[in-house]
Amino acid sequence: MNKMITRLSVGGRSVLLLAAMAASMVSVAQTLEERVAKLEQQNREMREQIERNTELQANTETRNKYMPQLHGILRGKYEYQPEMDASRFEVRNARLSVSGALPLRSEYKLEVDLCDESQIKMKDAWVRVTPWKTLRVSLGQQRMPFSIDAHRNPSAQYFANRSFIAKQVGDMRDVGMQVGYTFKSAREDARTVAILDAGMFNGSNLDNQKTAWCKAVSYSARLQWYPVKGLAIVPSVQHTAIADRQAQYTSLDFGAYYETGGLHVEAEYLRKTYMKDVFDDCNAFNTMAIYKMPLRNERTFLQSIAYQARYDYMDDHSDGKAGFVMDAEGNATDRLAISDYKRHRMTLGLTFAVRNPYFPTDIRLNYERYWYPHGGAKESEQDKLVAEIMVKF
């Protein structure tokens, strides 16, 4: 009897042991399934997070790509004229521009100067389509493609005052359509070989576009050719109407510059011919040399110093804004009134670049020496010392 009880007891323990082992195996199996399910869930969540991050990054890049870009330039100036023994302070430019790209290959730009010789002036207001990267078609108010120095924005100028070509003889903005194409080399570096811009414009009626109906075509074209690294050869042509479209002129310009290291050497010649001999032909010349020397010590206030020299010249010139000469009886003749008298100028200067990576700042010191063979100097265009601070953002 005792033996039977012992056997039953042993058998019961065996059954209990087997049941425990089975339960343990079921528990292990459940634990493995739970772990596998948990890992799968974590994997799904990780993939979803990666997809969200990728989408967020793509959206951020898209927003950044199409986000309007705000730029500006402020130029404060002090001038002293020894002959007058007088000086003045001036805010020469307070420009703001908004530009950017839009979906489906289009761009835009708005630029206004809040203090252009104490006046508010709209400079650029155009829209552009880019069927492909190297082709662009712009419509609106813009600078006509012409010259080297006359095409520079104030933020890219080397001297406190513009050259005669840039200010008097070759400066022209107008409303019209412009087409540009960039030629790239077939080599792996895809270097820019040439840039061609050409356009048709209203001519001589920037401020009153509603009455800008014109029968004569005004046009401008410029080629920038880069035969070797650092060298640019820039021929251009311009034909437009002036004096409320009562007169026309054609300008031919040829310029070139070379850059290597901190050296920039540039020369430009312009010839303006007036139609129907309403004014004598005007020649203008501009040449400059700049050497920019960086300062290696990063603790210094200044980042670089540029040594600058320029010589420029112009003949008697008429921009047409004063209209025609009046005779003794008060009737208009067929000759345009003179705007600027023949002159020579030598400019020497220094430009100190402040070490500011966020808002590039230049301090300029210039001395300008004028020569007028036949007199006619304007009050603001005589020998003078110029100090300027320019901030870009």
Side-chain angles (χ1 to χ4, degrees), residues 30-209:
Q30 291 177 345
T31 302
L32 289 175
E33 289 179 358
E34 291 174 354
R35 289 181 178 179
V36 170
K38 187 175 181 180
L39 289 174
E40 290 178 349
Q41 177 65 24
Q42 291 177 346
N43 190 28
R44 282 195 300 271
E45 292 176 353
M46 186 178 297
R47 287 200 303 270
E48 292 174 356
Q49 184 63 41
I50 291 174
E51 291 176 357
R52 285 195 297 269
N53 291 340
T54 302
E55 183 178 0
L56 179 62
Q57 183 178 359
N59 292 336
T60 301
E61 291 177 353
T62 301
R63 284 196 300 271
N64 291 339
K65 181 179 180 180
Y66 300 121
M67 183 71 68
Q69 301 296 312
L70 177 64
H71 299 283
I73 174 174
L74 294 172
R75 295 172 62 203
K77 184 188 296 185
Y78 170 80
E79 294 181 327
Y80 172 71
Q81 294 191 176
E83 293 183 11
M84 295 175 57
D85 191 22
S87 62
R88 69 177 179 182
F89 291 94
E90 182 183 14
V91 177
R92 183 58 186 87
N93 293 111
R95 291 198 183 192
L96 291 175
S97 69
V98 179
S99 61
L102 297 171
L104 303 180
R105 299 179 180 179
S106 57
E107 300 173 359
Y108 63 92
K109 182 180 180 182
L110 296 171
E111 182 172 318
V112 63
D113 200 321
L114 303 177
C115 190
D116 186 347
E117 296 182 337
S118 303
Q119 296 182 9
I120 298 176
K121 295 181 182 179
M122 173 65 75
K123 294 299 182 179
D124 289 324
W126 51 257
V127 290
R128 173 181 293 169
V129 292
T130 53
W132 54 87
K133 291 183 178 180
T134 54
L135 177 66
R136 54 202 172 272
V137 181
S138 308
L139 184 65
Q141 180 171 312
Q142 55 202 301
R143 184 175 290 283
M144 298 172 73
F146 182 73
S147 168
I148 299 176
D149 206 30
H151 207 273
R152 284 191 174 105
N153 187 277
S155 62
Q157 292 170 7
Y158 295 102
F159 295 85
N161 290 315
R162 292 175 290 170
S163 68
F164 300 144
I165 288 179
K167 183 177 181 179
Q168 283 92 352
V169 186
D171 182 30
M172 179 62 77
R173 268 186 168 86
D174 208 338
V175 181
M177 183 182 72
Q178 185 176 163
V179 179
Y181 190 86
T182 301
F183 297 87
K184 298 282 188 178
S185 67
R187 296 179 299 180
E188 294 182 359
D189 60 355
R191 184 179 69 88
T192 297
V193 176
I195 302 173
L196 177 63
D197 294 282
M200 297 173 58
F201 302 89
N202 285 342
S204 187
N205 209 339
L206 193 62
D207 299 324
N208 193 0
Q209 300 171 30

